[in-house]
Amino acid sequence: MPEKNQLFEAEIEDITSEGNGVCHLDGMAVFVPDTAVGDKVKVRLVKVLKNYSYGIIEQMLSPSPDRIANDCPVYKKCGGCVFRHISYKAECRIKAGIVENAFKRLGGICTSYDTFISAENTTEYRNKAQYPVAELDGKAVCGFFAPRSHRIVPVTDCALQPEIFSEILETVTAFLNDKHIKAYDEKSHTGIVRHIYLRQGAHSGEIMVCIVARKDISRQLSPLAKILTGRFFGIQSIIMNINPDKTNVILGKKCITIWGKDTITDVMCGNIVEISPLSFYQVNTVQAERLYAKALEYAAPDKDNVIADLYCGAGTIGLSMARNVKKIIGVEIIPEAVENAKKNAQMNGISNAEFYAGDAGIIFAQLRQEGCSPDIIVVDPPRKGCSEETLSQIIEAAPEKVVMISCNPSTAARDAKILSQNGYTVDKVCGADLFPRTRHVECVVLMSRQKS
Ligand code: SAH
């Protein structure tokens, strides 16, 4: 039995979806952070469990050719990136492997994997950033939470965000300190400003600045509008979001527009889209467009097809398919996102799309009772995957094809397996990188109904 502090030499064989390297000691998996596939290392065991262990590098014997120099001062401190120490090519190889393994683990439900959709741009690709604000030495600072903690690492210039975000952040925090507006303190539930939340349309350049606070301070914030709009080109909307709750959910339900528009607009798959502060909008627009193009290729709809777009957000996927089909029916739980979706359809002259607010499974069941029978169902659920109700409704609706988009290959594989046991074959799986340098990876799955 291995023991804590035991030393051994090994070669890193793989990387897990959390970004840890994997090697073996007498057949037992040992997870070692900050390693790369091909590293030859002397490892010290730091935690020994029944079926696996954790180790750290005691000595680097020979580094992997995948390694590159890390260029970020807060790498591994901020909780964002996990792959900055290896080449992007190696990262894509690992991510493609994570997607394939998720499906292979479930007993060969798929044998056909498409070429992984890697990103051309691995910096400044995010169109959204949410920075927690905290008090440090009597001043408001913003940054990121350290991994698995609520300790703030002050940092404003993150390589994944547009450069202008850090300049805006500095302006906002300087304003807060100047006006003695206190940062929120989670533990005591005192103080005011919780987060600074920024969005920028990747194609339009329009910027939304949203200040999340415990209570309404819109009057105190109003001079900020003049400062921000005088200094930065592109700001179209300044919002205050009120979140009075003791929670780690970032946004509250209420938004007050301090200056400009209530929303910003961007272009996605050729459609103008309106984005409100509360709506989900893919953070990497360019890669999302490539992912949605793959979903359309998989759906391959006919002109007379009806497509249900479940978990549709602001409708971006369905609207990107609307011109190729007879009708789109979108379902989404956030009412503001549904309003955005309807407006997005209207703005783009799309009259064959309907959107409904509510739980995907429940609303789709009601729509089916009213006679809705889609030929193709597209689902794009959150990380936890589709609900049981949604899956059973899909099985009962028996569409010709199901196209599943997911930000979590494990739950996508789990849900695909359930469909594969209920009349569907998993034809193709494609991984896509919407979050370069982080551990996240997206996938799209094509399933078709077996001919009886
Ligand atoms: N397809 C959209 C959004 C995908 S993210 C896009 O690509 O932009 C997942 C979406 O599912 C979010 O908009 C979230 O609000 C929504 N959602 C979460 N739980 C839901 C549920 N139970 N029913 C319907 N929608 C849900």
Side-chain angles (χ1 to χ4, degrees):
M1 183 72 186
E3 282 177 7
K4 191 172 169 180
N5 285 323
Q6 184 175 334
L7 296 172
F8 67 100
E9 287 181 13
E11 180 166 337
I12 301 298
E13 303 149 30
D14 201 359
I15 301 278
T16 66
S17 52
E18 275 81 44
N20 285 326
V22 188
C23 60
H24 283 86
L25 173 62
D26 300 333
M28 180 181 68
V30 181
F31 301 108
V32 191
D34 306 323
T35 49
V37 175
D39 276 346
K40 294 195 179 76
V41 279
K42 188 186 268 183
V43 177
R44 179 183 289 275
L45 287 181
V46 289
K47 192 171 182 183
V48 180
L49 299 165
K50 202 165 154 226
N51 298 317
Y52 58 92
S53 295
Y54 288 96
I56 53 169
I57 301 178
E58 176 79 6
Q59 190 189 348
M60 173 61 73
L61 303 171
S62 139
S64 155
D66 289 346
R67 279 190 175 264
I68 58 165
N70 157 46
D71 58 355
C72 176
V74 292
Y75 182 41
K76 296 281 167 106
K77 291 197 189 100
C78 86
C81 296
V82 297
F83 290 124
R84 295 202 84 79
H85 66 295
I86 61 171
S87 68
Y88 185 57
K89 201 169 159 204
E91 175 184 341
C92 289
R93 193 186 66 224
I94 291 163
K95 286 182 168 177
I98 289 170
V99 172
E100 287 191 24
N101 287 337
F103 284 81
K104 282 180 183 152
R105 260 200 304 272
L106 293 177
I109 53 169
C110 179
T111 50
S112 174
Y113 297 90
D114 237 321
T115 312
F116 186 78
I117 304 173
S118 58
E120 264 150 41
N121 193 1
T122 59
T123 60
E124 296 193 40
Y125 62 78
R126 288 186 59 99
N127 59 30
K128 167 180 163 177
Q130 291 166 316
Y131 301 83
V133 183
E135 190 113 341
L136 201 70
D137 302 328
K139 287 210 147 160
V141 293
C142 59
F144 295 108
F145 287 127
R148 291 176 294 281
S149 93
H150 277 231
R151 187 171 46 82
I152 283 200
V153 179
V155 56
T156 54
D157 58 339
C158 163
L160 308 187
Q161 331 277 11
E163 220 176 299
I164 194 168
F165 280 10
S166 49
E167 294 162 25
I168 295 175
L169 280 178
E170 275 158 28
T171 303
V172 177
T173 39
F175 175 86
L176 297 177
N177 285 319
D178 190 41
K179 299 284 181 217
H180 306 289
I181 302 173
K182 290 265 182 220
Y184 174 68
D185 179 60
E186 271 188 325
K187 282 200 194 105
S188 59
H189 195 52
T190 56
I192 312 286
V193 178
R194 304 170 71 123
H195 276 83
I196 299 169
Y197 160 31
L198 306 174
R199 262 180 161 166
Q200 180 178 39
H203 296 301
S204 69
E206 290 193 11
I207 297 171
M208 172 181 282
V209 178
C210 178
I211 316 283
V212 187
R214 189 171 59 83
K215 60 181 190 183
D216 184 355
I217 51 158
S218 47
R219 278 236 190 109
Q220 279 166 279
L221 289 178
S222 67
L224 181 62
K226 203 165 169 203
I227 299 172
L228 284 174
T229 52
R231 202 167 289 175
F232 302 104
F233 182 74
I235 294 185
Q236 294 283 337
S237 168
I238 304 178
I239 307 273
M240 111 139 277
N241 174 273
I242 303 168
N243 186 355
D245 298 332
K246 260 191 175 173
T247 169
N248 55 12
V249 175
I250 296 178
L251 294 172
K253 289 200 171 73
K254 191 166 177 199
C255 294
I256 298 171
T257 304
I258 298 173
W259 181 91
K261 304 190 291 181
D262 303 337
T263 56
I264 53 168
T265 50
D266 195 21
V267 180
M268 161 91 80
C269 299
N271 288 319
I272 299 172
V273 290
E274 186 161 274
I275 313 149
S276 76
L278 299 177
S279 314
F280 176 89
Y281 187 58
Q282 283 286 3
V283 298
N284 184 338
T285 313
V286 173
Q287 283 299 93
E289 290 179 311
R290 299 175 72 193
L291 177 74
Y292 295 170
K294 181 57 78 177
L296 179 60
E297 178 196 313
Y298 280 1
D302 287 339
K303 275 271 169 227
D304 59 353
N305 280 168
V306 173
I307 297 190
D309 177 10
L310 307 182
Y311 307 90
C312 71
T316 42
I317 300 177
L319 294 177
S320 76
M321 299 178 170
R323 292 183 183 89
N324 304 58
V325 299
K326 187 168 146 199
K327 193 170 170 185
I328 297 286
I329 297 158
V331 183
E332 158 65 40
I333 204 157
I334 306 262
E336 288 84 354
V338 173
E339 287 314 307
N340 289 161
K342 287 179 182 166
K343 184 131 186 242
N344 290 338
Q346 209 182 17
M347 281 193 303
N348 292 286
I350 294 170
S351 55
N352 61 338
E354 292 168 8
F355 295 95
Y356 299 90
D359 175 77
I362 295 171
I363 300 288
F364 184 49
Q366 286 167 6
L367 291 168
R368 287 190 51 238
Q369 276 181 357
E370 291 160 17
C372 166
S373 172
D375 305 284
I376 300 168
I377 297 181
V378 177
V379 290
D380 185 9
R383 288 192 68 75
K384 64 176 191 255
C386 292
S387 67
E388 268 176 44
E389 175 71 0
T390 302
L391 290 172
S392 66
Q393 285 301 324
I394 294 173
I395 293 161
E396 279 180 36
E400 233 170 88
K401 288 176 211 156
V402 177
V403 178
M404 181 182 288
I405 299 174
S406 171
C407 54
N408 185 345
S410 311
T411 56
R414 178 201 69 196
D415 293 349
K417 171 107 186 178
I418 293 170
L419 294 181
S420 78
Q421 290 162 336
N422 287 280
Y424 284 84
T425 47
V426 181
D427 299 332
K428 268 186 201 170
V429 174
C430 180
D433 191 16
L434 272 64
F435 314 98
R437 307 333 247 148
T438 78
R439 67 193 174 87
H440 300 288
V441 58
E442 197 95 5
C443 64
V444 48
V445 185
L446 170 64
M447 286 165 275
S448 57
R449 200 178 66 220
Q450 289 154 9
K451 310 263 176 306
S452 50

